[in-house]
Structures are given as C-alpha cells and as structure tokens.
Amino acid sequence: MIPVCRLEDLPAGDSVRLDITPPVAVFNADGELYAIDDTCSHQDASLSEGWLEGCLIECPLHAASFDLRTGKPACLPARRPVRTHQVYVEDGVIHVLVASDAGATGDGGTGAAEKGSAA
Amino acid sequence: MRTVIVVGASLAGLYAARELRAQGFDGRLVVIGAEPHAPYDRPPLSKGFLTGSGSGTADESHIALADAEETAELAAEWLLGARARSLDVRGRTVVLDDGRTVAGDGLVIATGASARRLPGPPLAGVHTLRTLDDARALRAELTCGPRRVVVIGGGFIGAETASSCVALGHDVTVVEAAPLPLVAQLGPEMASVCAGLHARGGVRLLTGVGVAGLRGAEGAEGAGASDPGAAGARTSEAVRAGRSVTAVELTDGRLLPADVVVVGIGATPNTAWLAGSPLAVDDGVLCDDGCVTALPQVVAVGDVARVGGVRAEHWTSATEQPRAAVRNLLAGHTVDTAHALPYFWSDQYGSRIQFAGRRSDGDSVRIVEGSPDGLGGDPSAGVRGEGFLAVYERAGRTTAVLAVDRARPFMKVRRGLAAERAAELAGV
Ligand SMILES: Cc1cc2nc3c(=O)[nH]c(=O)nc-3n(C[C@H](O)[C@H](O)[C@H](O)COP(=O)(O)OP(=O)(O)OC[C@H]3O[C@@H](n4cnc5c(N)ncnc54)[C@H](O)[C@@H]3O)c2cc1C
Ligand code: FES
C-alpha cells in the first residue's frame, strides 16, 4: 500500500498524481475516492490533469473520457481501458493498493495497462 | 440515401464513416483512400514515431486509428491504394485513377492535405513529413549514425521534427523565412517564447532568411550510399537520379552543409481531383458552417474543408466536423453547424504546447500562471518544465488561451471558451 496524502488534502473534485512507475492518479469524485493509471491509454497525457465530472475523467489532450469505477473508456479516441486500483483511508491518510497484473505493462512503455483488452 | 462514398481514408474520413453508422445510416458505405494503409494517426509521425519513444512509438500498431473489430462493425467497402481522379458533374460518381467508377447518392470529401515541396529535381536525402511512408523513410535515415539535418520551416511540424532529430543525437538547424516562426498562430510575444525552445533544445534557429535552393552531388558523402539502411529510404526517383543533397543554399548566400533536409513549409489541400466538378474550391472545398458544399449531397470535412470561410489543419477539427457534416448529409440540408472552438497541441523539446480559441492580431497577451522563464524541463530525462498559462484578450474578453505544460488550467479556460462559443452560436 502506498500512502498518497491526508484525506483533507484531496477535496472533492480534486486529483493527485503518484509518481511511481507507471504513475497512478487518485481522484475525489464528490466524496468517493478512485485510483486509476495516470497515463491515458490513447497517447501520453496525464489523466490527473483532466476534467472530472461525476465518475468520468476527460483526458486533457484529445478528450477521451474514462469511467473511474471500471477504467473503461466512455468515448474515442481511447479504445483500451486503464487499470483501476484500490483506495483505502487509514487514520485519515489515503492509500493506494496498486493492482499487480504482471505482464500488463510491457507494451512500449506507456505504462497503460490493458486489463481485459482483447486487442 | 442508399450509398455513401467517403473519399479519403484517414482521420476525417474514418470519423465520417463512424458517424454515418452511429447516426443510423445502414446502406452501402464505400471508403476510398489513395494510401495503401488502413487509417492511421499522423501527429505521432513527427514525435514518438521518429524517436521511438513515448506511446507514439515506432511500433506501427500504435498509430492505427481503428482495430479489426471496429473495422468489421463499420461494414464498409475499403478501396485502399485507390486515388479518386474526378467527380462527375452532378457529384454522384467518383472516377478512380485506374478507370473504375463508384456511384453513390451521398459523398463525403475527406482528402486532407499534402506537404508542400520545394521546386527542383528530386534529391536523395530530402524529405517531407506527411504520410507514414514519409516517416518511415525519414526514420530510416535518422537511425544510421549522426547526420547534419537542416529543417526548412519553423512551423509546428518543422519544430517537432527538429526536436525529434536532436533527441536522436543529430546536428540540427532550422531555417525560417519569417522573422519569427509561428507568429500567425501565436502572435509575436508567445511566438518568441516558443522560438526559445529551439535554443534550449540545442537546435540552431536561423530566421528572416529564405532558401535559395538545394545543392546536390552524385553519390554524395554522408548521404548513406554505403549504408544499406539509408539507401532503402531514398525515394525511387532520387535513387534513379543518383544525386544526393549536400547543402542548403540560403538567400543571403550562406551555405548550410546537410546530409538530410526536411521540408516543412506547410500543406496544400487535396482538391485537384475536384477540378471540373461544380464544387467551388479556394484554398479548400468551400462549404457552409455545417460542412455542406454547393451540392446538398456533398459534404467536406477535415484539412481539405473550408468551413464557413475557415480551413483548419487540426486533429480535433477533423474528428469533430464529421458529426455535423453527416447529420446535414443525411438530413439533405444544413441543420447543424460544425463551429467548435479551434484547438491544437504540439510536443517539442519535452514541452507540451496547447492552444485553443481564435486569436487575432492586436489581441493583448497576459501570463496568468507560471512564467516563460520556467520553460524547459529536461527533455532527455523526460522531465517537463514548470510551464505557463497565457490568455489572449480583446476588449476585456478572453479570445484564446495558450499553455506550455499547464494542461489542467488550460482545460478549464478552454472549456469556458467553448461554452461561450456554444452560447454565441445558439444566439443566447
Ligand atoms: C507529422 C504531422 C504531425 C501533426 N501533429 C499534429 C498535432 O500535434 N496536433 C494537431 O492538432 N494536429 C496535428 N497534425 C494535423 C492532423 O494530423 C491533421 O489535421 C489530420 O490528419 C487531418 O485529417 P484529414 O483526414 O482531414 O486529412 P489527412 O490526414 O491528410 O488524410 C487525407 C487522406 O486522403 C487521401 N487522399 C488524398 N487525395 C485523395 C484522392 N484523390 N483519392 C483518395 N484519397 C485521397 C490521402 O492519401 C490521405 O490518406 C499533424 C499532421 C502531421 C502530418
Ligand atoms: S492522450 Fe488521452 S485522449 Fe489522447
């Protein structure tokens, strides 16, 4: 488990990027916490810098949006999902348990995993 | 409507095909494309595709725009490697280069633009960068040892190419005829800030000087004659001609020695095949605000289309226009407009530039976050600079926004501008 920040430091509507490899983005979507891979599965933009609306995060580069609950793209140009990770709050501190799906990141260094992708 | 023909099998053509199906067109769909390749994405060609880094990597599957599953779902007939030669008078039959004809009752023109070239006979080592084949040829020359590269034109594609070449360890010079590159797009203040990226990246930028011509020699030194990898990259005409570039001659008499020359002097819309048709062409296919031409059964989208007087050469326009264009095509007249807020991005020297809106000369510019001095992280280490956010203003209103490595606040201002624009169009 990786500590992220104190709960009060991530107010609703805000996001934070964890500089690990591959980077992870943590969101506070109207009080619910979510974590996904930070790098868009389309090209290389940071989703933590995107536009959060409800449970959807819109990529700041070409406007693909992803469902924070599933990591699935809701529209083009992204076609592959991003990984989702579990989030816990312990003693007021947000933690992320990074999903370990081995072999998911060996595709050209995007860091965007392809869980559940047939392509 | 029973048959719709899409001419141009790239970004705008594919998005038009998608829209046709999404909007319920279940007739015959024929997509004609001059290139032999299935639709692919061009922006990575000057960026990660050349350097083999990031997610626009040299792996060609990364730039495919549609996967097999989606292609099958579109249920289109793909005529690839087939160039449209003409359009009959009523706009109902497309004639191909090999004499075949395709008849339809609706037509989407999505033939994009072609890289402008320098006059003169072909020389090995001289490249443009528009197509996958161009990018493969250039990459082959850039991966066989250090080269002296001269990039002609300091626009976005020239700057990105220069940045990719320097990242690969080449010696790079950019020649720009105007006193500053990108002035038309960014205005003088911000253009000069972005011009500074070249020097930070270790590239020489020569401005205010034109190119008088290219010098070549038989089997020139440094042109890779002994290098099978590079030889394969030569255009066939140039190989036949047997002459390779040796230098770029400037209008002030200077001679820049060069092994590789990249010509990045803009693109011209591919409209030649429409000569003799009733469609009006003037720097693009003229259409109304809804991408509809003088013929209601013909719409135009992407780089080839001059929509309501404006021709954009932006990725986002090519993906957004097809929605309104297809709606209007299926309706038989203009019911929707395609005037989204212009937006483009560019990646250079480890920085990401984003611009949205309509700037005009005389707008004032204000830095609202960060500072141009905070530009430039360390591209080699993949570290972005602190960047800045600037807004363009006129009469107290924001007209456009520019960000360098400030994606988050950029998005906020861009969305605000887009909302204002939508309200304006709706007449609120
Ligand atoms: C190297 C490069 C980098 C870029 N980077 C960026 C960027 O960072 N940001 C950005 O916003 N934009 C960028 N762009 C611009 C963006 O790629 C274009 O706006 C986009 O490709 C336009 O799509 P299009 O489908 O209209 O035209 P095109 O992509 O030009 O496609 C037109 C297609 O039609 C075919 N065709 C032409 N004539 C005929 C004919 N007679 N018959 C049949 N087929 C024909 C062509 O072969 C081509 O395949 C870049 C472009 C290039 C070349
Ligand atoms: S990088 Fe996210 S949509 Fe393109």
Side-chain angles (χ1 to χ4, degrees):
Chain A
M1 286 223 293
I2 302 171
V4 180
C5 62
R6 294 201 59 80
L7 184 55
E8 61 267 28
D9 292 336
L10 189 69
D14 221 341
S15 57
V16 59
R17 178 186 135 112
L18 270 184
D19 261 319
I20 54 175
T21 315
V24 165
V26 185
F27 300 87
N28 182 338
D30 302 325
E32 287 290 328
L33 299 174
Y34 298 97
I36 59 171
D37 277 345
D38 183 51
T39 308
C40 180
S41 69
H42 176 233
Q43 280 163 12
D44 64 343
S46 166
L47 292 173
S48 62
E49 297 186 303
W51 185 264
L52 183 60
E53 208 154 290
C55 276
L56 289 178
I57 180 74
E58 182 183 316
C59 175
L61 195 52
H62 314 121
S65 75
F66 295 87
D67 189 321
L68 294 176
R69 295 163 298 188
T70 60
K72 290 205 175 111
C75 66
L76 289 167
R79 284 181 280 134
R80 290 170 291 143
V82 290
R83 291 186 307 172
T84 57
H85 309 283
Q86 287 178 318
V87 189
Y88 300 94
V89 180
E90 257 179 38
D91 298 330
V93 175
I94 302 172
H95 289 77
V96 167
L97 180 61
V98 176
S100 60
D101 42 358
T105 57
D107 71 334
T110 66
E114 298 182 87
K115 189 169 82 174
S117 157
Chain B
M1 209 163 267
R2 290 163 54 190
T3 301
V4 174
I5 307 169
V6 177
V7 184
S10 183
L11 188 65
L14 173 67
Y15 271 73
R18 283 173 173 158
E19 279 300 330
L20 279 158
R21 291 308 189 210
Q23 294 183 31
F25 171 70
D26 60 3
R28 178 170 175 235
L29 177 54
V30 185
V31 186
I32 299 168
E35 292 183 76
H37 314 292
Y40 61 87
D41 205 22
R42 285 177 217 280
L45 297 182
S46 48
K47 310 177 179 78
F49 186 86
L50 279 187
T51 56
S53 69
S55 56
T57 56
D59 175 357
E60 293 184 3
S61 67
H62 279 276
I63 60 171
L65 284 170
D67 55 26
E69 188 187 342
E70 200 213 350
T71 307
E73 273 171 21
L74 281 176
E77 292 165 41
W78 296 85
L79 304 180
L80 298 179
R83 183 177 292 274
R85 186 175 66 196
S86 62
L87 178 66
D88 85 335
V89 182
R90 284 160 304 119
R92 302 211 182 258
T93 306
V94 174
V95 183
L96 305 186
D97 249 357
D98 60 10
R100 276 183 291 173
T101 57
V102 185
D105 34 24
L107 176 69
V108 180
I109 296 173
T111 44
S114 293
R116 206 173 278 142
R117 287 161 197 276
L118 289 176
L123 286 174
V126 179
H127 299 261
T128 52
L129 186 47
R130 179 79 199 182
T131 66
L132 175 56
D133 295 346
D134 290 344
R136 284 177 180 163
L138 178 58
R139 197 177 63 190
E141 281 210 66
L142 295 175
T143 46
C144 44
R147 289 277 188 275
R148 289 165 302 179
V149 181
V150 174
V151 178
I152 301 175
F156 286 113
I157 290 178
E160 290 184 356
T161 306
S163 155
S164 296
C165 288
V166 80
L168 288 167
H170 301 290
D171 174 77
V172 188
T173 306
V174 175
V175 181
E176 165 63 47
L180 253 185
L182 301 175
V183 175
Q185 292 89 346
L186 305 179
E189 298 93 335
M190 293 299 117
S192 87
V193 168
C194 289
L197 290 170
H198 290 284
R200 283 173 188 273
V203 166
R204 272 181 303 277
L205 171 65
L206 307 180
T207 57
V209 62
V211 169
L214 301 179
R215 294 273 180 95
E218 308 293 326
E221 161 264 330
S226 59
D227 214 326
R234 306 296 186 213
T235 66
S236 52
E237 304 100 287
V239 169
R240 249 181 278 124
R243 289 176 66 81
S244 301
V245 71
T246 53
V248 175
E249 190 183 340
L250 303 183
T251 44
D252 62 7
R254 267 182 292 176
L255 213 53
L256 304 175
D259 310 308
V260 175
V261 170
V262 183
V263 180
I265 53 174
T268 41
N270 292 321
T271 52
W273 66 285
L274 296 170
S277 81
L279 301 179
V281 167
D282 176 13
D283 183 38
V285 176
L286 299 191
C287 30
D288 69 9
D289 289 344
C291 302
V292 180
T293 68
L295 299 173
Q297 75 277 18
V298 181
V299 296
V301 288
D303 282 13
V304 77
R306 203 161 142 198
V307 181
V310 182
R311 190 172 70 82
E313 287 184 3
H314 307 325
W315 189 95
T316 300
S317 313
T319 61
E320 289 182 348
Q321 289 166 355
R323 175 163 304 163
V326 163
R327 192 164 294 153
N328 297 335
L329 180 71
L330 296 178
H333 61 278
T334 305
V335 293
D336 198 1
T337 61
H339 262 319
L341 190 78
Y343 162 67
F344 62 80
W345 79 98
S346 174
D347 294 339
Q348 315 170 8
Y349 305 108
S351 291
R352 171 160 291 158
I353 299 169
Q354 292 176 288
F355 181 95
R358 289 162 199 273
R359 186 200 71 82
S360 39
D361 287 341
D363 289 3
S364 61
V365 193
R366 193 161 55 91
I367 306 277
V368 289
E369 262 192 38
S371 145
D373 308 329
L375 269 191
D378 180 359
S380 55
V383 178
R384 291 224 155 110
E386 206 214 323
F388 68 90
L389 183 80
V391 292
Y392 295 79
E393 290 163 321
R394 168 168 295 248
R397 287 186 61 170
T398 303
T399 54
V401 55
L402 169 75
V404 179
D405 297 323
R406 289 269 169 159
R408 194 197 300 243
F410 174 83
M411 199 156 185
K412 211 167 157 187
V413 182
R414 178 185 167 197
R415 288 182 76 101
L417 286 173
E420 268 174 38
R421 172 96 193 132
E424 228 173 79
L425 290 174
V428 178

